[in-house]
Amino acid sequence: MSSDAPGLLGAACPVPITETDQVLMGHGSGGKLSAQLVETLLLPAFRNPALAALDDAAQVSVGGTTVAMTTDSFVVTPLFFPGGDIGELAVNGTVNDLAVSGARPLFLSLALILEEGFALAELRRVIESIQRAAAEAGVQVVTGDTKVVNRGKGDKLFINTTGIGQPIPGVSLSSANVRPGDQILVSGTIGDHGVAILSTREGLSFSGGELRSDTAPLATLVEAMLAATPGIHAMRDPTRGGVAATVVEIAARQRLGIEIDEAALPINDAVRGACEMLGLDPLLVANEGKLVAFVPRAECDRALAAMRAHPLGRHAARIGEVVAEHPGRVVMQTLIGGRRFVDLPFAEPLPRIC
Amino acid sequence: MSSDAPGLLGAACPVPITETDQVLMGHGSGGKLSAQLVETLLLPAFRNPALAALDDAAQVSVGGTTVAMTTDSFVVTPLFFPGGDIGELAVNGTVNDLAVSGARPLFLSLALILEEGFALAELRRVIESIQRAAAEAGVQVVTGDTKVVNRGKGDKLFINTTGIGQPIPGVSLSSANVRPGDQILVSGTIGDHGVAILSTREGLSFSGGELRSDTAPLATLVEAMLAATPGIHAMRDPTRGGVAATVVEIAARQRLGIEIDEAALPINDAVRGACEMLGLDPLLVANEGKLVAFVPRAECDRALAAMRAHPLGRHAARIGEVVAEHPGRVVMQTLIGGRRFVDLPFAEPLPRIC
């Protein structure tokens, strides 16, 4: 193990990953190709402190007031899936990026790119779903845009939501705060969203129960956690690339070691079965209603109790800790007693899950 | 002429325009179908004061500070065209929506939807263009997102930018302020952007000079106008649907009459020639670097002088006025001495111009 901590990209990838001149599906996957695009093209073009923090939401100053801002486009296919649809996802995804950055979500923009020929009845269902999800999350849709592209130049419906919110006073959540000794908590079962999308798309079913997306707005869970344990260092919502992408990114950027205990990972039986059959690692599969928290050791029990007292945190668990050893690396204690590195794949295996 | 002012939709459209169950290109055109989608589906779903104002940007309150917010997706084809590209357009379009609402543009989010197979070299060109345009407009890109869709499920590149800004103290620009007697000013020649896109797309050329998009950031022009004439009632940037869409919408929503003087419309020779050959009305063609201002009569000359003193307002002109007669209707005094109603087409004839 080298103490010459590698960057997010270099970690364990001897392949020269710049060897393509075209956009690949993996550029949008949350894997190494995504990271490469961000690090080599986007970050250098737009260097500024708010962007460089690379947290789930940027913090900017408008007239002396700090405003949190985040954006996400949603290209999930199919549009409707067990547990949710693209509209609900578009609200919750953006609201959650604000929430885990320590901001109270307030307002959303809503931009639709429609494909010619898309059924207006389906659009209506999606809009109604956005309406419900916004009401549940306590945010208002205040501005919007609609574009239409020719048949065959889109895929029914893409949605962008951009959210702004107000940082909760006295709260500072940022991956820059993470320290050795921090305990890593996850708010519930992992992999539900990605596996539900995949099984719907491929028409697969598995024993062990229904596969449903976990899409949900996390702001009230975050507020409950912060009320109980204001000293939480950082939170993330582990969407594309799953919990693995979250911990690998924080380990690499903050030059910290992370240890994950595979036996502690909360996983639904149906998701576990599906992942075994499909050869997927649940740690790499997207979630849409979960958060990962980095909590000082002394506050871990209190944070866990607060999470478990909230309906969206009932299955919260401690899954690992931050260590001073092996900076830049995530190591998993496996179920069978071994230890292995956790790394991001070149391209995550589930495209268009959000 | 009826004083029973029709709505934006009903104005002069006896055809029952709800008779489709699919998305049509016209739903994104800035014509009547677009308006119908907004009025029948989107506005009812998200009723709130900020959205209902339907100005180019919403004004919301974050921690007691007023923040202006606006969103736009860009699906223009081709990506590169004389005078600009999709990246420059994506910055200027959103910056201009903030500027004409009386806000100083500050921060942008940037969300990319890439089609698998899109050339990374072209993406790089677009990103560099966004970088330049953001620097020129004085805004920072502070948060972003990248998604990739399968080949044949997108069209190279779609961009969403959402912008936030700070309302200029003491300024209130809103179409709700427009009054009979207001003079209608346009900051320069009309139709340049739409005709440049169309001619590039169709490989057409016309005599009378080069056709170039007018894409430009308008914030400094707006500030110069407001410094000279703080009493300006409203501004809009006449993009999709052109100047016609702007004045028809304000006439219909504010129940005011509007008179336009065709002879006063500033039009480049090349654009005029192209429109004549193609049977297009320049009043309906999109602009990307122009604004329309509604100015009290007493301040008209001062506003025009301020516009003409700015590089982006050299060809500014008074093109009409707001009247108490024929509420809800726009009437044009034509070049040949007649009078005709100005109305929006069912679907504007130039899809995907922004």
Side-chain angles (χ1 to χ4, degrees), chain B residues 164-191:
Chain B
I164 62 176
Q166 184 180 15
I168 301 170
V171 168
S172 164
L173 294 177
S174 171
S175 51
N177 299 336
V178 176
R179 294 285 176 275
D182 280 1
Q183 303 296 293
I184 304 173
L185 312 182
V186 66
S187 62
T189 55
I190 66 172

Side-chain angles (χ1 to χ4, degrees), chain B residues 2 8 59 70 72 120 125 127 148 163 176 193 195 200 206 216 251 269 278 297 300 303 305 309 321 345:
Chain B
S2 165
L8 178 55
Q59 296 217 345
T70 189
D72 253 322
L120 284 171
R125 274 179 69 194
I127 295 298
V148 180
H193 176 74
V195 169
T200 307
F206 302 92
D269 287 346
L278 299 167
R297 191 190 308 267
C300 175
E321 70 179 322

Side-chain angles (χ1 to χ4, degrees), chain B residues 194-274:
Chain B
V195 169
I197 296 293
L198 184 68
S199 63
T200 307
R201 202 188 286 166
E202 307 298 337
L204 303 173
S205 66
F206 302 92
S207 59
E210 197 189 4
L211 293 165
R212 288 177 65 85
S213 169
D214 58 343
T215 180
L218 294 170
T220 57
L221 174 61
V222 171
E223 295 207 26
M225 291 170 67
L226 288 170
T229 49
I232 293 173
H233 281 157
M235 293 190 202
R236 287 295 187 91
D237 65 331
T239 55
R240 279 186 291 182
V243 171
T246 297
V247 291
V248 165
E249 187 185 321
I250 288 182
R253 287 197 173 276
Q254 308 301 327
R255 304 282 191 258
L256 293 165
I258 285 180
E259 304 258 342
I260 298 291
D261 177 7
E262 188 171 18
L265 295 172
I267 305 174
N268 276 329
D269 287 346
V271 170
R272 190 186 300 276

Side-chain angles (χ1 to χ4, degrees), chain A:
Chain A
M1 235 160 301
S2 163
S3 66
D4 177 11
L8 178 55
L9 299 172
C13 184
V15 189
I17 61 177
T18 49
E19 297 292 310
T20 171
D21 58 2
Q22 293 190 340
V23 170
L24 308 175
M25 289 306 292
H27 282 116
S29 72
K32 283 207 176 78
L33 272 175
S34 293
Q36 182 199 28
L37 194 67
V38 170
E39 304 246 352
T40 63
L41 183 55
L42 299 170
L43 283 185
F46 306 114
R47 290 208 180 287
N48 60 66
L51 184 65
L54 278 189
D55 280 316
D56 284 328
Q59 297 216 345
V60 297
S61 175
V62 179
T65 296
T66 303
V67 176
M69 181 179 193
T70 189
T71 192
D72 253 322
S73 296
F74 296 85
V75 300
V76 63
T77 179
L79 299 179
F80 303 94
F81 45 80
D85 60 44
I86 189 173
E88 190 176 348
L89 211 59
V91 173
N92 291 341
T94 292
V95 158
N96 290 348
D97 282 341
L98 291 170
V100 298
S101 76
R104 195 166 288 133
L106 295 173
F107 303 105
L108 292 185
S109 63
L110 172 66
L112 310 174
I113 298 177
L114 306 169
E115 183 192 9
E116 183 185 19
F118 178 50
L120 284 171
E122 294 199 6
L123 177 60
R124 185 173 293 278
R125 273 180 69 193
V126 172
I127 296 297
E128 286 166 358
S129 173
I130 292 171
Q131 185 181 19
R132 274 194 305 274
E136 188 183 343
V139 292
Q140 289 188 338
V141 175
V142 293
T143 188
D145 179 56
T146 305
K147 293 292 190 304
V148 180
V149 296
N150 318 69
R151 202 182 290 261
K153 299 294 184 183
D155 196 7
K156 294 182 177 174
L157 172 62
F158 302 143
I159 299 179
N160 176 279
T161 51
T162 301
I164 63 176
Q166 184 179 14
I168 301 170
V171 168
S172 165
L173 295 177
S174 171
S175 50
N177 299 336
V178 175
R179 294 285 176 274
D182 280 2
Q183 303 297 293
I184 304 173
L185 312 182
V186 65
S187 62
T189 55
I190 66 172
D192 298 71
H193 177 74
V195 170
I197 296 293
L198 183 67
S199 63
T200 307
R201 204 187 286 167
E202 307 298 337
L204 303 172
S205 65
F206 302 93
S207 60
E210 196 188 5
L211 293 165
R212 288 176 66 84
S213 168
D214 58 345
T215 178
L218 294 170
T220 59
L221 173 62
V222 170
E223 295 208 25
M225 292 170 66
L226 289 170
T229 49
I232 293 172
H233 281 158
M235 294 191 200
R236 287 295 186 92
D237 64 331
T239 56
R240 277 186 292 180
V243 171
T246 296
V247 292
V248 165
E249 186 184 322
I250 287 181
R253 287 197 171 277
Q254 307 303 326
R255 304 283 192 256
L256 293 165
I258 285 180
E259 303 258 343
I260 298 291
D261 178 7
E262 188 173 18
L265 296 172
I267 305 174
N268 276 330
D269 288 346
V271 170
R272 190 186 301 277
C275 283
E276 279 170 8
M277 295 258 302
L278 298 168
L280 293 173
D281 181 349
L283 203 67
L284 282 163
V285 179
N287 313 278
E288 291 289 345
K290 298 291 158 30
L291 61 80
V292 174
F294 295 79
V295 184
R297 192 189 307 268
E299 300 191 48
C300 175
D301 290 345
R302 210 157 56 237
L304 260 184
M307 291 164 91
R308 289 175 178 158
H310 190 283
L312 293 174
R314 279 196 308 272
H315 303 292
R318 179 200 162 283
I319 61 167
E321 70 180 322
V322 181
V323 297
E325 295 77 42
H326 53 81
R329 294 281 201 172
V330 177
V331 175
M332 183 150 81
Q333 182 78 30
T334 66
L335 281 169
I336 55 170
R339 284 167 64 81
R340 69 166 175 87
F341 287 126
V342 173
D343 202 1
L344 297 186
F346 185 64
E348 195 238 0
L350 300 174
R352 298 185 62 189
I353 40 136
C354 63

